[in-house]
Amino acid sequence: MEKKLLDNILEKMKNLHVKTRLDAGFDKLTTLGTGGKICAAVFPDTISQLTKVIRYCDKKGVSTVILGRGSNVLASDAYFDGVVIVTTGINKFRIKRCRAAAQCGASTSALARALAENGLSGGEFLACLPATVGGAVVGNAGCFDEEIKDILKQVTVLKNGKICRIKGKNCKFAKRDSIFKHNDWIVLEAKFKFKRSERDKVRRTIAQMRVQKAQTQPLDARSAGCVLFHDSVSVSRLIDEMGYKGYRVGGAEVSTKHAGFILNIDKAASLDIYLIIRDLQRALWERYGIIAKREVSLVNFAEDNNDVFSKCKE
Ligand SMILES: Cc1cc2nc3c(=O)[nH]c(=O)nc-3n(C[C@H](O)[C@H](O)[C@H](O)COP(=O)(O)OP(=O)(O)OC[C@H]3O[C@@H](n4cnc5c(N)ncnc54)[C@H](O)[C@@H]3O)c2cc1C
């Protein structure tokens, strides 16, 4: 990026009181702990700051990437010559009767805890996601047979610089998919609806879910959760069946505890993880004739999803 443009961005962030870092890398901003350096990372605390940052970058033609907790992102090892906007500071939520409204950077587990305190059921699974509300909405995150689409009523988005509201039923939710994965709209806030229950019962359900997750998933290792999925079959089971547990490329490895997880076990490069994903996709195609879709979002990769699939079929 030209020095003058970067200086202008820094000046603008200062005027907006938005924290900025010039030494950040994707390795520090994603749970996988991999990825290249970033020209500038900014940390807005309010929705107003976020919308102003996006509008400014758009006006200046600066590339942006939006990140929540970075728990579903594989960023390439290349330098990112743009601005990464981290939403975790925009984290307020409010609960009234059976409804909750949460800002995009709110932690799903903090929201789940507050729902439990209020004796509201339906959001227990949120406690098991290392996510922000925005990231969870984008990927229609879920577990234990519950997904965001089951509780979401309305999303406020920044769409082409304008703030709009979209009803949950119009978000084109599908397994780990939504309308937001196919456009550049920014999720600003989400409204949810829950059912009345008893505080202790909700707390117990959360505790049970957490135990089950810890027993079956490598939660203490660096990962992005399950990397692949298929609409009708369990990809993790098939990866296990093919003997890929423990399969290693560079510093990355298919978890021996849960075959759906790829771990950064020893200073992995993003390329190591990417190559494992591609190997697994190819093996699933060759052995079972299924196309496993990528759950993790690629950031700053020259190659896109379709290229991976076309390689699969070669
Ligand atoms: C240990 C572990 C366990 C996991 N278990 C599960 C699970 O059980 N179920 C499940 O579904 N997932 C799971 N995941 C994956 C991940 O936690 C979820 O996909 C989560 O919803 C991602 O949220 P995030 O805030 O980290 O999003 P990020 O990873 O930061 O972003 C994900 C994508 O959304 C975009 N994005 C983020 N915020 C916004 C916004 N406000 N507006 C527009 N775009 C945005 C990003 O650009 C990126 O493309 C797991 C991950 C880990 C590490």
Side-chain angles (χ1 to χ4, degrees):
M1 189 183 298
E2 277 180 26
K3 188 176 176 312
K4 190 164 173 240
L5 179 55
L6 181 58
D7 286 345
N8 286 343
I9 292 172
L10 295 178
E11 181 70 20
K12 181 74 182 176
M13 296 307 129
K14 202 171 151 196
N15 292 340
L16 291 173
H17 305 289
V18 173
K19 287 179 267 339
T20 306
R21 277 181 55 189
L22 298 179
D23 59 348
F26 282 106
D27 55 340
K28 298 285 185 298
L29 299 175
T30 61
T31 53
L32 270 167
T34 64
K37 292 276 172 225
I38 295 162
C39 180
V42 302
F43 303 82
D45 289 321
T46 66
I47 285 179
S48 164
Q49 286 177 336
L50 172 63
T51 55
K52 284 176 184 150
V53 170
I54 301 266
R55 285 182 184 133
Y56 183 79
C57 289
D58 283 353
K59 196 172 94 189
K60 295 283 176 188
V62 174
S63 303
T64 52
V65 164
I66 185 136
L67 281 186
R69 296 271 306 270
S71 63
N72 203 24
V73 163
L74 176 63
S76 86
D77 300 306
Y79 177 69
F80 179 65
D81 194 23
V83 173
V84 171
I85 303 163
V86 181
T87 64
T88 46
I90 312 167
N91 52 21
K92 294 196 172 60
F93 58 80
R94 54 191 188 280
I95 297 173
K96 201 170 173 192
R97 290 191 277 277
C98 289
R99 293 182 182 261
Q103 294 182 336
C104 56
S107 145
T108 53
S109 52
L111 178 60
R113 273 197 305 276
L115 292 168
E117 284 305 304
N118 283 268
L120 292 174
S121 167
E124 292 88 339
F125 74 99
L126 295 172
C128 301
L129 304 172
T132 62
V133 164
V137 168
V138 169
N140 186 25
C143 49
F144 300 103
D145 292 329
E146 303 256 28
E147 293 177 320
I148 287 289
K149 75 167 174 37
D150 303 322
I151 51 172
L152 187 86
K153 288 291 144 196
Q154 184 183 282
V155 188
T156 306
V157 296
L158 187 70
K159 176 181 168 185
N160 307 325
K162 296 210 170 64
I163 293 179
C164 315
R165 285 181 181 79
I166 304 174
K167 286 193 174 139
K169 63 180 183 192
N170 295 331
C171 292
K172 298 193 178 155
F173 285 123
K175 190 162 179 185
R176 303 296 168 263
D177 199 9
S178 76
I179 195 168
F180 311 109
K181 274 206 168 174
H182 307 279
N183 55 42
D184 58 0
W185 306 348
I186 309 297
V187 173
L188 300 177
E189 193 182 67
K191 288 189 172 155
F192 302 99
K193 193 171 174 201
F194 302 96
K195 292 185 276 302
R196 278 252 156 261
S197 182
E198 286 157 29
R199 191 188 296 184
D200 287 345
K201 195 171 163 205
V202 179
R203 281 192 187 140
R204 263 199 313 277
T205 306
I206 290 177
Q208 281 161 2
M209 284 176 168
R210 285 200 163 137
V211 167
Q212 201 176 324
K213 270 230 163 196
Q215 279 170 351
T216 55
Q217 299 182 354
L219 301 183
D220 47 356
R222 303 209 74 153
S223 81
C226 287
V227 288
L228 294 170
F229 73 96
H230 187 271
D231 290 334
S232 52
V233 294
S234 160
V235 166
S236 309
R237 187 177 55 74
L238 299 182
I239 295 171
D240 191 2
E241 205 171 274
M242 292 189 298
Y244 269 90
K245 273 186 173 170
Y247 178 69
R248 190 163 172 175
V249 173
E253 184 176 279
V254 177
S255 165
T256 49
K257 190 169 182 181
H258 190 303
F261 283 56
I262 299 175
L263 311 180
N264 171 5
I265 54 164
D266 185 17
K267 301 186 199 79
S270 290
L271 184 63
D272 301 336
I273 293 159
Y274 179 80
L275 290 175
I276 294 186
I277 294 175
R278 209 187 56 178
D279 288 349
L280 293 176
Q281 285 182 308
R282 180 177 287 132
L284 287 160
W285 170 254
E286 286 173 0
R287 173 91 176 260
Y288 302 103
I290 65 159
I291 292 181
K293 294 181 199 159
R294 224 185 38 245
E295 189 168 331
V296 65
S297 297
L298 296 188
V299 165
N300 200 26
F301 271 79
E303 216 169 358
D304 75 7
N305 200 9
N306 294 328
D307 291 325
V308 179
F309 286 126
S310 60
K311 278 208 176 86
C312 248
K313 293 189 207 169
E314 270 167 16

